[in-house]
Coordinates of all heavy atoms in Angstrom, one line a residue:
M108 N 2.2 12.8 -15.1 CA 2.9 13.2 -13.9 C 4.4 13.1 -14.2 O 4.8 12.1 -14.9 CB 2.6 12.3 -12.7 CG 3.4 12.5 -11.5 SD 3.1 11.4 -10.1 CE 1.3 11.5 -9.9
D109 N 5.1 14.1 -13.8 CA 6.6 14.1 -13.9 C 7.2 12.9 -13.3 O 6.8 12.4 -12.2 CB 7.1 15.4 -13.3 CG 8.6 15.5 -13.3 OD1 9.1 16.0 -14.4 OD2 9.3 15.0 -12.4
A110 N 8.2 12.3 -14.0 CA 8.8 11.0 -13.5 C 9.5 11.2 -12.1 O 9.4 10.3 -11.3 CB 9.8 10.5 -14.5
R111 N 10.1 12.3 -11.9 CA 10.8 12.6 -10.6 C 9.7 12.7 -9.5 O 10.0 12.2 -8.4 CB 11.6 13.9 -10.7 CG 12.8 13.7 -11.6 CD 13.6 15.0 -11.7 NE 12.7 15.9 -12.3 CZ 12.9 17.2 -12.4 NH1 14.0 17.8 -11.9 NH2 12.0 18.0 -13.0
L112 N 8.6 13.3 -9.8 CA 7.6 13.4 -8.7 C 7.0 12.0 -8.5 O 6.8 11.7 -7.3 CB 6.5 14.4 -9.2 CG 5.3 14.5 -8.2 CD1 5.7 15.0 -6.9 CD2 4.2 15.5 -8.8
H113 N 6.8 11.3 -9.5 CA 6.2 9.9 -9.3 C 7.2 9.1 -8.4 O 6.7 8.4 -7.5 CB 6.0 9.2 -10.6 CG 5.6 7.8 -10.4 ND1 4.4 7.4 -10.0 CD2 6.4 6.6 -10.6 CE1 4.3 6.1 -9.9 NE2 5.5 5.6 -10.2
T114 N 8.5 9.2 -8.7 CA 9.5 8.5 -7.9 C 9.4 8.9 -6.4 O 9.5 8.0 -5.5 CB 10.9 8.7 -8.4 OG1 10.9 8.2 -9.8 CG2 11.9 8.0 -7.6
E115 N 9.3 10.2 -6.2 CA 9.2 10.7 -4.8 C 7.9 10.2 -4.1 O 8.0 9.7 -3.0 CB 9.2 12.2 -4.8 CG 10.6 12.8 -5.0 CD 11.6 12.4 -4.0 OE1 11.3 12.3 -2.8 OE2 12.8 12.1 -4.4
L116 N 6.8 10.2 -4.8 CA 5.6 9.7 -4.2 C 5.6 8.2 -4.0 O 5.1 7.7 -3.0 CB 4.4 10.1 -5.1 CG 4.1 11.6 -5.2 CD1 3.0 11.9 -6.3 CD2 3.6 12.1 -3.9
W117 N 6.2 7.5 -5.0 CA 6.3 6.0 -4.8 C 7.1 5.7 -3.6 O 6.8 4.8 -2.8 CB 6.9 5.5 -6.1 CG 7.0 4.0 -6.3 CD1 8.1 3.2 -6.1 CD2 5.9 3.1 -6.6 NE1 7.8 1.9 -6.3 CE2 6.4 1.8 -6.6 CE3 4.6 3.3 -6.8 CZ2 5.7 0.7 -6.9 CZ3 3.8 2.2 -7.1 CH2 4.3 0.9 -7.1
T118 N 8.2 6.4 -3.4 CA 9.1 6.1 -2.3 C 8.4 6.5 -1.0 O 8.5 5.7 0.0 CB 10.4 7.0 -2.4 OG1 11.1 6.6 -3.6 CG2 11.3 6.8 -1.2
S119 N 7.7 7.6 -1.0 CA 6.9 8.0 0.2 C 5.8 6.9 0.5 O 5.6 6.6 1.7 CB 6.2 9.3 0.0 OG 7.2 10.3 -0.1
W120 N 5.1 6.4 -0.5 CA 4.1 5.4 -0.3 C 4.7 4.2 0.3 O 4.1 3.6 1.3 CB 3.4 5.1 -1.7 CG 2.4 4.1 -1.7 CD1 2.4 2.9 -2.3 CD2 1.1 4.1 -0.9 NE1 1.2 2.2 -2.1 CE2 0.5 2.9 -1.2 CE3 0.5 5.0 -0.1 CZ2 -0.8 2.6 -0.7 CZ3 -0.7 4.7 0.5 CH2 -1.3 3.5 0.2
A121 N 5.8 3.7 -0.2 CA 6.5 2.5 0.3 C 6.9 2.7 1.8 O 6.7 1.9 2.6 CB 7.7 2.2 -0.5
S122 N 7.4 3.9 2.1 CA 7.8 4.2 3.5 C 6.6 4.2 4.4 O 6.7 3.7 5.5 CB 8.5 5.6 3.5 OG 8.8 6.0 4.8
L123 N 5.5 4.8 4.0 CA 4.3 4.8 4.8 C 3.8 3.4 5.1 O 3.4 3.1 6.2 CB 3.2 5.7 4.2 CG 3.5 7.2 4.3 CD1 2.5 8.0 3.4 CD2 3.3 7.7 5.7
L124 N 3.8 2.6 4.0 CA 3.3 1.2 4.2 C 4.2 0.5 5.2 O 3.7 -0.2 6.0 CB 3.3 0.5 2.8 CG 2.2 0.9 1.8 CD1 2.5 0.3 0.5 CD2 0.9 0.5 2.3
R125 N 5.5 0.7 5.1 CA 6.5 0.0 6.0 C 6.2 0.5 7.4 O 6.2 -0.4 8.3 CB 7.9 0.3 5.6 CG 8.5 -0.5 4.5 CD 10.0 -0.2 4.4 NE 10.5 -1.1 3.4 CZ 11.3 -0.7 2.4 NH1 11.5 0.6 2.2 NH2 11.8 -1.5 1.6
T126 N 6.0 1.7 7.6 CA 5.8 2.3 8.9 C 4.5 1.8 9.6 O 4.5 1.3 10.7 CB 5.8 3.8 8.9 OG1 7.0 4.3 8.4 CG2 5.5 4.4 10.2
Y127 N 3.4 1.8 8.8 CA 2.2 1.4 9.4 C 2.1 -0.1 9.6 O 1.5 -0.6 10.5 CB 1.0 1.9 8.6 CG 0.8 3.4 8.9 CD1 0.9 4.4 7.9 CD2 0.4 3.9 10.1 CE1 0.7 5.7 8.1 CE2 0.2 5.2 10.4 CZ 0.4 6.1 9.4 OH 0.2 7.4 9.6
C128 N 2.7 -0.8 8.7 CA 2.8 -2.3 8.9 C 3.6 -2.7 10.1 O 3.2 -3.5 10.9 CB 3.3 -3.0 7.6 SG 2.1 -3.1 6.3
A129 N 4.7 -2.0 10.3 CA 5.5 -2.2 11.5 C 4.7 -1.9 12.8 O 4.7 -2.7 13.7 CB 6.8 -1.4 11.5
A130 N 4.0 -0.8 12.8 CA 3.2 -0.4 13.9 C 2.1 -1.4 14.2 O 1.9 -1.8 15.4 CB 2.6 1.0 13.7
H131 N 1.4 -1.9 13.2 CA 0.3 -2.8 13.4 C 0.9 -4.2 13.8 O 0.2 -5.0 14.5 CB -0.6 -2.9 12.2 CG -1.5 -1.8 12.1 ND1 -2.6 -1.6 12.9 CD2 -1.5 -0.7 11.3 CE1 -3.2 -0.5 12.6 NE2 -2.6 0.1 11.6
G132 N 2.1 -4.5 13.4 CA 2.7 -5.8 13.7 C 3.1 -5.9 15.2 O 3.3 -7.0 15.7
L133 N 3.2 -4.7 15.9 CA 3.6 -4.7 17.3 C 2.6 -5.5 18.1 O 2.9 -6.1 19.2 CB 3.7 -3.3 17.8 CG 4.8 -2.5 17.3 CD1 4.7 -1.0 17.8 CD2 6.2 -3.1 17.7
N134 N 1.3 -5.5 17.7 CA 0.3 -6.2 18.5 C -0.2 -7.5 17.8 O -1.4 -7.9 18.0 CB -0.9 -5.3 18.7 CG -0.5 -4.1 19.6 OD1 0.2 -4.3 20.6 ND2 -1.0 -2.9 19.3
S135 N 0.6 -8.1 17.0 CA 0.2 -9.2 16.2 C 1.3 -10.3 16.4 O 2.4 -10.0 16.7 CB 0.1 -8.8 14.8 OG -0.1 -10.0 14.0
K136 N 0.9 -11.5 16.2 CA 1.8 -12.6 16.2 C 2.6 -12.7 14.8 O 3.5 -13.5 14.7 CB 1.2 -14.0 16.5 CG 0.1 -14.4 15.6 CD -0.5 -15.7 16.0 CE -1.6 -16.1 15.0 NZ -2.3 -17.3 15.4
H137 N 2.1 -11.9 13.9 CA 2.7 -11.9 12.5 C 3.4 -10.5 12.3 O 3.2 -9.6 13.1 CB 1.7 -12.0 11.5 CG 0.9 -13.3 11.6 ND1 1.4 -14.5 11.4 CD2 -0.4 -13.5 12.0 CE1 0.5 -15.4 11.6 NE2 -0.6 -14.8 11.9
H138 N 4.3 -10.5 11.4 CA 4.9 -9.3 11.0 C 4.8 -9.1 9.5 O 4.5 -10.1 8.7 CB 6.4 -9.2 11.4 CG 7.3 -10.1 10.6 ND1 7.4 -11.5 10.9 CD2 8.1 -9.9 9.5 CE1 8.2 -12.0 10.1 NE2 8.7 -11.1 9.2
A139 N 5.0 -7.9 9.0 CA 4.8 -7.7 7.5 C 6.2 -7.7 6.9 O 7.2 -7.3 7.5 CB 4.2 -6.3 7.3
V140 N 6.2 -8.1 5.7 CA 7.4 -8.0 4.8 C 6.9 -7.1 3.7 O 5.9 -7.3 3.0 CB 7.8 -9.3 4.2 CG1 9.0 -9.2 3.2 CG2 8.2 -10.3 5.4
V141 N 7.7 -6.0 3.5 CA 7.4 -5.0 2.4 C 8.5 -5.0 1.5 O 9.6 -4.6 1.8 CB 7.1 -3.6 3.0 CG1 6.8 -2.6 1.9 CG2 6.0 -3.6 4.1
E142 N 8.3 -5.5 0.3 CA 9.3 -5.5 -0.8 C 9.0 -4.4 -1.7 O 7.9 -4.2 -2.2 CB 9.2 -6.8 -1.5 CG 9.5 -8.0 -0.6 CD 9.3 -9.4 -1.4 OE1 9.1 -9.4 -2.6 OE2 9.2 -10.4 -0.7
V143 N 10.1 -3.6 -2.0 CA 9.9 -2.4 -2.8 C 10.8 -2.4 -4.0 O 12.0 -2.6 -3.8 CB 10.2 -1.1 -2.0 CG1 10.0 0.2 -2.8 CG2 9.3 -1.0 -0.7
G144 N 10.3 -2.2 -5.2 CA 11.0 -2.1 -6.4 C 10.5 -0.9 -7.2 O 9.5 -0.2 -6.8
P145 N 11.2 -0.5 -8.2 CA 10.7 0.6 -9.0 C 9.4 0.5 -9.7 O 8.7 1.5 -10.0 CB 11.8 0.8 -10.1 CG 12.5 -0.5 -10.1 CD 12.3 -1.2 -8.8
E146 N 9.0 -0.8 -9.9 CA 7.7 -1.0 -10.6 C 6.6 -1.6 -9.7 O 5.4 -1.5 -10.0 CB 7.9 -2.0 -11.8 CG 9.0 -1.6 -12.7 CD 8.6 -0.4 -13.7 OE1 7.4 -0.4 -14.0 OE2 9.4 0.4 -14.0
V147 N 7.0 -2.3 -8.6 CA 6.1 -3.0 -7.8 C 6.4 -2.9 -6.3 O 7.6 -2.9 -5.9 CB 6.1 -4.6 -8.1 CG1 5.2 -5.4 -7.2 CG2 5.7 -4.8 -9.6
I148 N 5.4 -2.7 -5.5 CA 5.5 -2.8 -4.0 C 4.6 -4.0 -3.6 O 3.5 -4.1 -4.0 CB 5.0 -1.5 -3.3 CG1 5.9 -0.3 -3.7 CG2 5.0 -1.7 -1.8 CD1 5.3 1.0 -3.2
L149 N 5.2 -4.9 -2.9 CA 4.5 -6.1 -2.4 C 4.5 -6.1 -0.9 O 5.6 -6.0 -0.3 CB 5.1 -7.4 -2.9 CG 4.5 -8.7 -2.5 CD1 3.1 -8.8 -3.0 CD2 5.4 -9.8 -3.0
V150 N 3.4 -6.2 -0.3 CA 3.2 -6.3 1.2 C 2.7 -7.7 1.5 O 1.7 -8.1 1.0 CB 2.3 -5.3 1.8 CG1 2.1 -5.4 3.3 CG2 2.7 -3.9 1.4
R151 N 3.4 -8.4 2.4 CA 3.0 -9.8 2.8 C 2.9 -9.8 4.3 O 3.7 -9.4 5.0 CB 4.0 -10.8 2.3 CG 4.0 -11.0 0.8 CD 4.9 -12.1 0.4 NE 6.3 -11.6 0.5 CZ 7.2 -12.3 1.2 NH1 7.0 -13.5 1.8 NH2 8.5 -11.8 1.2
V152 N 1.7 -10.4 4.8 CA 1.5 -10.6 6.2 C 0.9 -12.0 6.3 O -0.2 -12.3 5.8 CB 0.5 -9.6 6.8 CG1 0.2 -9.9 8.3 CG2 1.0 -8.2 6.7
N153 N 1.7 -12.9 6.9 CA 1.3 -14.3 7.0 C 1.0 -14.8 5.6 O 1.9 -14.8 4.8 CB 0.1 -14.4 8.0 CG -0.1 -15.9 8.5 OD1 0.8 -16.7 8.4 ND2 -1.3 -16.1 8.9
D154 N -0.2 -15.3 5.4 CA -0.5 -15.8 4.0 C -1.3 -14.8 3.2 O -1.7 -15.1 2.1 CB -1.3 -17.1 4.1 CG -2.6 -16.9 4.8 OD1 -2.8 -15.9 5.5 OD2 -3.5 -17.9 4.8
R155 N -1.4 -13.5 3.6 CA -2.0 -12.5 2.9 C -1.0 -11.6 2.1 O 0.2 -11.5 2.5 CB -2.7 -11.5 3.9 CG -3.7 -12.1 4.8 CD -5.1 -12.5 4.1 NE -5.5 -11.6 3.1 CZ -6.3 -10.6 3.4 NH1 -6.7 -10.3 4.6 NH2 -6.7 -9.8 2.4
W156 N -1.4 -11.1 1.0 CA -0.5 -10.2 0.2 C -1.3 -9.1 -0.4 O -2.5 -9.2 -0.7 CB 0.3 -11.0 -0.8 CG -0.5 -11.8 -1.8 CD1 -0.8 -13.1 -1.6 CD2 -1.0 -11.3 -3.0 NE1 -1.6 -13.5 -2.7 CE2 -1.7 -12.4 -3.6 CE3 -1.0 -10.1 -3.7 CZ2 -2.4 -12.3 -4.8 CZ3 -1.7 -10.0 -4.9 CH2 -2.3 -11.1 -5.5
L157 N -0.6 -8.0 -0.7 CA -1.1 -6.8 -1.3 C -0.1 -6.3 -2.3 O 1.1 -6.1 -1.8 CB -1.4 -5.8 -0.2 CG -2.1 -4.5 -0.6 CD1 -3.4 -4.6 -1.3 CD2 -2.3 -3.7 0.7
R158 N -0.4 -6.1 -3.5 CA 0.6 -5.7 -4.6 C 0.2 -4.4 -5.2 O -1.0 -4.3 -5.6 CB 0.6 -6.9 -5.6 CG 1.6 -6.7 -6.7 CD 1.6 -7.9 -7.6 NE 2.6 -7.8 -8.7 CZ 2.3 -7.2 -9.8 NH1 1.2 -6.7 -10.1 NH2 3.3 -7.1 -10.7
F159 N 1.1 -3.5 -5.4 CA 0.9 -2.2 -6.0 C 1.8 -2.0 -7.2 O 2.9 -2.4 -7.2 CB 1.2 -1.1 -5.0 CG 0.4 -1.0 -3.8 CD1 0.8 -1.7 -2.7 CD2 -0.9 -0.4 -3.8 CE1 0.0 -1.7 -1.5 CE2 -1.6 -0.4 -2.7 CZ -1.2 -1.0 -1.5
T160 N 1.2 -1.5 -8.3 CA 1.9 -1.0 -9.4 C 1.5 0.5 -9.6 O 0.6 0.9 -8.8 CB 1.7 -1.8 -10.7 OG1 0.3 -1.6 -11.1 CG2 2.0 -3.3 -10.5
A161 N 2.0 1.1 -10.6 CA 1.6 2.5 -10.8 C 0.1 2.7 -11.1 O -0.5 3.7 -10.8 CB 2.4 3.1 -11.9
S162 N -0.5 1.6 -11.6 CA -1.9 1.8 -12.0 C -2.9 0.8 -11.4 O -4.1 0.9 -11.6 CB -2.0 1.6 -13.5 OG -1.6 0.4 -13.9
D163 N -2.4 -0.2 -10.6 CA -3.2 -1.2 -10.0 C -2.9 -1.6 -8.6 O -1.7 -1.4 -8.2 CB -3.1 -2.6 -10.8 CG -3.6 -2.4 -12.2 OD1 -4.7 -2.0 -12.5 OD2 -2.8 -2.8 -13.1
M164 N -3.9 -2.0 -7.9 CA -3.7 -2.6 -6.5 C -4.4 -4.0 -6.6 O -5.5 -4.1 -7.1 CB -4.4 -1.7 -5.5 CG -4.3 -2.3 -4.1 SD -5.1 -1.2 -2.8 CE -6.7 -2.0 -2.8
E165 N -3.7 -5.0 -6.2 CA -4.2 -6.3 -6.2 C -4.0 -7.0 -4.8 O -3.0 -6.9 -4.2 CB -3.5 -7.2 -7.3 CG -4.1 -8.5 -7.5 CD -3.4 -9.2 -8.6 OE1 -2.3 -8.8 -9.1 OE2 -3.9 -10.3 -9.0
R166 N -5.1 -7.6 -4.3 CA -5.0 -8.3 -3.1 C -5.2 -9.8 -3.3 O -5.8 -10.2 -4.3 CB -6.1 -7.8 -2.1 CG -5.9 -6.4 -1.7 CD -7.1 -5.9 -0.9 NE -7.0 -6.5 0.4 CZ -7.4 -5.8 1.5 NH1 -7.9 -4.6 1.4 NH2 -7.3 -6.3 2.7
D167 N -4.8 -10.6 -2.3 CA -4.9 -12.0 -2.4 C -6.4 -12.4 -2.4 O -6.8 -13.5 -3.0 CB -4.2 -12.7 -1.2 CG -4.8 -12.3 0.1 OD1 -4.6 -11.2 0.5 OD2 -5.5 -13.1 0.7
D168 N -7.3 -11.6 -1.8 CA -8.7 -12.0 -1.7 C -9.6 -11.3 -2.7 O -10.8 -11.5 -2.6 CB -9.2 -11.7 -0.3 CG -9.0 -10.2 0.1 OD1 -8.4 -9.4 -0.6 OD2 -9.6 -9.8 1.2
C169 N -9.0 -10.6 -3.6 CA -9.8 -10.0 -4.7 C -9.0 -9.7 -5.9 O -7.7 -9.8 -5.8 CB -10.6 -8.8 -4.2 SG -9.5 -7.4 -3.8
G170 N -9.6 -9.4 -7.0 CA -8.8 -9.1 -8.2 C -8.2 -7.7 -8.2 O -8.0 -7.0 -7.1
K171 N -7.7 -7.3 -9.4 CA -7.1 -6.0 -9.5 C -8.1 -4.8 -9.3 O -9.2 -4.9 -9.8 CB -6.4 -5.8 -10.8 CG -5.2 -6.7 -11.0 CD -4.5 -6.4 -12.3 CE -3.2 -7.2 -12.4 NZ -2.6 -7.0 -13.7
L172 N -7.6 -3.8 -8.7 CA -8.4 -2.6 -8.5 C -7.6 -1.4 -9.0 O -6.3 -1.5 -9.0 CB -8.8 -2.3 -7.1 CG -9.5 -3.4 -6.3 CD1 -9.6 -3.1 -4.8 CD2 -10.9 -3.5 -6.9
H173 N -8.2 -0.4 -9.4 CA -7.5 0.8 -9.9 C -6.7 1.4 -8.7 O -7.2 1.4 -7.6 CB -8.5 1.9 -10.4 CG -7.9 3.2 -10.6 ND1 -7.1 3.5 -11.6 CD2 -8.0 4.4 -9.9 CE1 -6.7 4.8 -11.6 NE2 -7.2 5.3 -10.5
F174 N -5.5 1.9 -9.0 CA -4.7 2.5 -8.0 C -3.9 3.6 -8.6 O -3.4 3.5 -9.7 CB -3.7 1.5 -7.4 CG -2.7 2.1 -6.4 CD1 -3.0 2.4 -5.1 CD2 -1.4 2.5 -6.9 CE1 -2.1 3.0 -4.3 CE2 -0.5 3.1 -6.0 CZ -0.8 3.3 -4.7
A175 N -3.8 4.8 -8.0 CA -3.0 5.9 -8.5 C -2.6 6.8 -7.4 O -3.3 7.1 -6.5 CB -3.8 6.7 -9.5
L176 N -1.3 7.2 -7.5 CA -0.8 8.2 -6.6 C -1.0 9.6 -7.3 O -0.7 9.7 -8.5 CB 0.7 8.0 -6.4 CG 1.2 6.7 -5.7 CD1 2.7 6.6 -5.8 CD2 0.7 6.7 -4.3
Q177 N -1.6 10.5 -6.6 CA -1.9 11.8 -7.1 C -0.9 12.9 -6.8 O -0.3 12.8 -5.7 CB -3.3 12.3 -6.6 CG -4.4 11.3 -6.9 CD -4.6 11.1 -8.4 OE1 -4.8 12.0 -9.2 NE2 -4.5 9.8 -8.9
E178 N -0.7 13.9 -7.6 CA 0.2 14.9 -7.4 C 0.0 15.7 -6.1 O 1.0 16.2 -5.5 CB 0.2 15.9 -8.6 CG 0.8 15.3 -9.8 CD 0.9 16.3 -11.0 OE1 0.7 17.5 -10.8 OE2 1.2 15.8 -12.1
D179 N -1.2 15.7 -5.6 CA -1.5 16.5 -4.4 C -1.3 15.6 -3.1 O -1.6 16.1 -2.0 CB -3.0 17.0 -4.4 CG -4.0 15.9 -4.4 OD1 -3.6 14.7 -4.5 OD2 -5.2 16.2 -4.4
G180 N -0.7 14.4 -3.3 CA -0.4 13.6 -2.1 C -1.6 12.7 -1.7 O -1.5 12.1 -0.6
T181 N -2.6 12.6 -2.5 CA -3.7 11.7 -2.2 C -3.4 10.4 -3.0 O -2.6 10.3 -3.9 CB -5.0 12.3 -2.5 OG1 -5.1 12.6 -3.9 CG2 -5.3 13.5 -1.7
V182 N -4.2 9.4 -2.6 CA -4.1 8.1 -3.3 C -5.5 7.7 -3.7 O -6.5 7.9 -2.9 CB -3.6 7.0 -2.3 CG1 -3.7 5.6 -2.9 CG2 -2.2 7.3 -1.8
Q183 N -5.7 7.2 -4.9 CA -6.9 6.7 -5.4 C -6.8 5.2 -5.5 O -5.9 4.7 -6.1 CB -7.3 7.2 -6.7 CG -7.7 8.7 -6.8 CD -8.1 9.1 -8.2 OE1 -7.7 8.5 -9.2 NE2 -8.8 10.2 -8.2
Y184 N -7.7 4.5 -4.8 CA -7.8 3.0 -5.0 C -9.2 2.6 -4.9 O -10.0 3.2 -4.1 CB -6.9 2.3 -4.0 CG -7.2 2.5 -2.5 CD1 -8.0 1.5 -1.8 CD2 -6.8 3.6 -1.8 CE1 -8.3 1.7 -0.5 CE2 -7.1 3.8 -0.5 CZ -7.8 2.8 0.1 OH -8.1 3.0 1.5
A185 N -9.6 1.7 -5.7 CA -11.0 1.3 -5.9 C -11.8 2.5 -6.1 O -11.5 3.3 -7.0 CB -11.4 0.5 -4.7
D186 N -12.8 2.8 -5.3 CA -13.6 4.0 -5.4 C -13.3 5.1 -4.3 O -14.1 5.9 -4.0 CB -15.1 3.7 -5.3 CG -15.5 2.9 -6.6 OD1 -14.9 3.1 -7.6 OD2 -16.4 2.1 -6.4
V187 N -12.1 4.9 -3.7 CA -11.7 5.8 -2.5 C -10.6 6.7 -3.0 O -9.7 6.3 -3.7 CB -11.2 4.9 -1.4 CG1 -10.7 5.7 -0.2 CG2 -12.3 3.9 -0.9
T188 N -10.7 8.0 -2.5 CA -9.6 8.9 -2.6 C -9.3 9.4 -1.2 O -10.3 9.9 -0.6 CB -9.9 10.1 -3.6 OG1 -10.2 9.6 -4.8 CG2 -8.8 11.1 -3.6
E189 N -8.1 9.3 -0.7 CA -7.8 9.8 0.6 C -6.3 10.2 0.7 O -5.5 9.8 -0.2 CB -8.2 8.8 1.7 CG -7.6 7.5 1.7 CD -8.1 6.6 2.7 OE1 -8.8 7.0 3.7 OE2 -8.0 5.4 2.6
E190 N -6.0 10.9 1.8 CA -4.6 11.2 2.0 C -3.7 10.0 2.0 O -4.1 8.9 2.5 CB -4.4 12.0 3.3 CG -5.2 13.3 3.3 CD -4.6 14.3 2.3 OE1 -3.4 14.4 2.1 OE2 -5.4 15.1 1.8
M191 N -2.5 10.1 1.5 CA -1.6 9.0 1.4 C -1.4 8.3 2.7 O -1.4 7.0 2.8 CB -0.3 9.5 0.8 CG 0.7 8.4 0.4 SD 2.3 9.0 -0.2 CE 1.8 9.8 -1.7
D192 N -1.2 9.0 3.8 CA -0.9 8.4 5.1 C -2.1 7.7 5.6 O -2.0 6.6 6.2 CB -0.3 9.4 6.1 CG -1.2 10.5 6.4 OD1 -2.0 10.9 5.5 OD2 -1.2 11.1 7.5
H193 N -3.3 8.2 5.4 CA -4.6 7.6 5.8 C -4.8 6.3 5.1 O -5.2 5.3 5.7 CB -5.7 8.5 5.7 CG -5.7 9.7 6.5 ND1 -6.7 10.6 6.6 CD2 -4.7 10.2 7.4 CE1 -6.4 11.6 7.5 NE2 -5.2 11.3 7.9
A194 N -4.5 6.3 3.8 CA -4.7 5.1 3.0 C -3.7 4.0 3.4 O -4.1 2.8 3.5 CB -4.5 5.4 1.5
A195 N -2.5 4.4 3.7 CA -1.5 3.4 4.1 C -1.8 2.8 5.4 O -1.7 1.5 5.6 CB -0.1 4.0 4.2
E196 N -2.3 3.6 6.3 CA -2.7 3.1 7.7 C -3.9 2.1 7.5 O -3.9 1.1 8.1 CB -3.0 4.2 8.6 CG -3.1 3.8 10.1 CD -4.5 3.1 10.4 OE1 -5.5 3.5 9.8 OE2 -4.5 2.2 11.3
R197 N -4.9 2.5 6.7 CA -6.1 1.7 6.6 C -5.7 0.3 6.0 O -6.2 -0.7 6.4 CB -7.1 2.4 5.7 CG -8.3 1.6 5.3 CD -9.1 2.1 4.2 NE -9.4 3.5 4.4 CZ -10.6 4.0 4.9 NH1 -11.5 3.2 5.2 NH2 -10.8 5.3 5.0
L198 N -4.9 0.4 4.9 CA -4.6 -0.9 4.2 C -3.7 -1.8 5.2 O -3.9 -3.0 5.2 CB -3.9 -0.6 2.9 CG -4.8 0.0 1.9 CD1 -3.9 0.6 0.7 CD2 -5.8 -0.9 1.4
A199 N -2.8 -1.2 5.9 CA -2.0 -2.0 6.9 C -2.9 -2.6 7.9 O -2.8 -3.8 8.2 CB -0.9 -1.1 7.5
R200 N -3.8 -1.8 8.5 CA -4.7 -2.3 9.5 C -5.6 -3.5 8.9 O -5.8 -4.5 9.6 CB -5.7 -1.2 9.9 CG -6.6 -1.6 11.0 CD -7.5 -0.5 11.6 NE -7.3 0.8 11.0 CZ -8.2 1.4 10.1 NH1 -9.3 0.7 9.8 NH2 -8.0 2.6 9.6
E201 N -6.0 -3.3 7.7 CA -6.8 -4.4 7.1 C -6.0 -5.7 6.9 O -6.5 -6.8 7.1 CB -7.4 -3.9 5.7 CG -8.5 -2.9 5.9 CD -8.9 -2.3 4.5 OE1 -8.4 -2.8 3.5 OE2 -9.8 -1.4 4.5
M202 N -4.7 -5.5 6.5 CA -3.9 -6.7 6.3 C -3.7 -7.5 7.6 O -3.7 -8.7 7.7 CB -2.5 -6.3 5.8 CG -2.5 -5.8 4.4 SD -2.9 -7.0 3.2 CE -1.4 -8.1 3.2
F203 N -3.6 -6.8 8.8 CA -3.4 -7.4 10.1 C -4.7 -7.9 10.7 O -4.7 -8.8 11.5 CB -2.6 -6.5 11.0 CG -1.2 -6.5 10.8 CD1 -0.6 -5.6 9.9 CD2 -0.4 -7.5 11.4 CE1 0.8 -5.6 9.7 CE2 1.0 -7.5 11.1 CZ 1.6 -6.6 10.3
A204 N -5.8 -7.3 10.3 CA -7.1 -7.6 10.9 C -7.6 -9.0 10.5 O -8.3 -9.7 11.3 CB -8.2 -6.6 10.4
V205 N -7.1 -9.5 9.4 CA -7.6 -10.8 8.9 C -6.5 -11.9 9.0 O -6.7 -13.0 8.6 CB -8.1 -10.8 7.5 CG1 -9.3 -9.9 7.4 CG2 -7.0 -10.3 6.5
S206 N -5.3 -11.5 9.6 CA -4.3 -12.5 9.6 C -4.2 -13.2 11.0 O -4.9 -12.8 11.9 CB -2.9 -11.9 9.4 OG -2.6 -10.9 10.3

């Protein structure tokens, strides 16, 4: 994947995570902290965390899983491929569901 495209997708992914975490935080006693860097995105909610790199997704409650942003705007993680916004919403919801 072209480096410029990867940067755009990475930025979009971080933005979607921030947006959906903020939305789910409206009905929670907790809020999310989303830390974004060029190599790592870290989402924290209470004592839960979710970490992304270009090739891995790691959660506090399980080990590393495969993760990839695709050129067509989909995301692959574990055995799932779905639209980027759907994946971000699902993961944000899961982070708040157990906190």
Side-chain angles (χ1 to χ4, degrees):
M108 177 184 307
D109 177 86
R111 290 176 298 168
L112 177 58
H113 173 75
T114 299
E115 286 298 322
L116 291 171
W117 187 253
T118 302
S119 295
W120 178 242
S122 178
L123 286 167
L124 288 169
R125 278 188 175 127
T126 299
Y127 285 115
C128 283
H131 284 286
L133 292 173
N134 295 320
S135 174
K136 62 183 179 179
H137 302 291
H138 71 277
V140 174
V141 181
E142 299 173 12
V143 180
E146 307 284 327
V147 175
I148 297 171
L149 178 64
V150 179
R151 292 183 287 126
V152 176
N153 196 20
D154 60 348
R155 305 285 322 270
W156 56 267
L157 183 57
R158 181 179 183 271
F159 298 93
T160 66
S162 61
D163 296 308
M164 178 179 93
E165 186 176 11
R166 295 174 75 143
D167 63 288
D168 60 350
C169 64
K171 287 184 180 179
L172 302 170
H173 169 74
F174 173 81
L176 298 170
Q177 303 297 306
E178 290 183 10
D179 64 357
T181 59
V182 175
Q183 289 181 339
Y184 61 98
D186 294 331
V187 176
T188 300
E189 60 186 341
E190 296 296 324
M191 192 182 292
D192 59 332
H193 294 186
E196 193 282 327
R197 175 193 310 261
L198 292 168
R200 182 174 5 103
E201 290 174 2
M202 290 293 289
F203 280 93
V205 296
S206 60

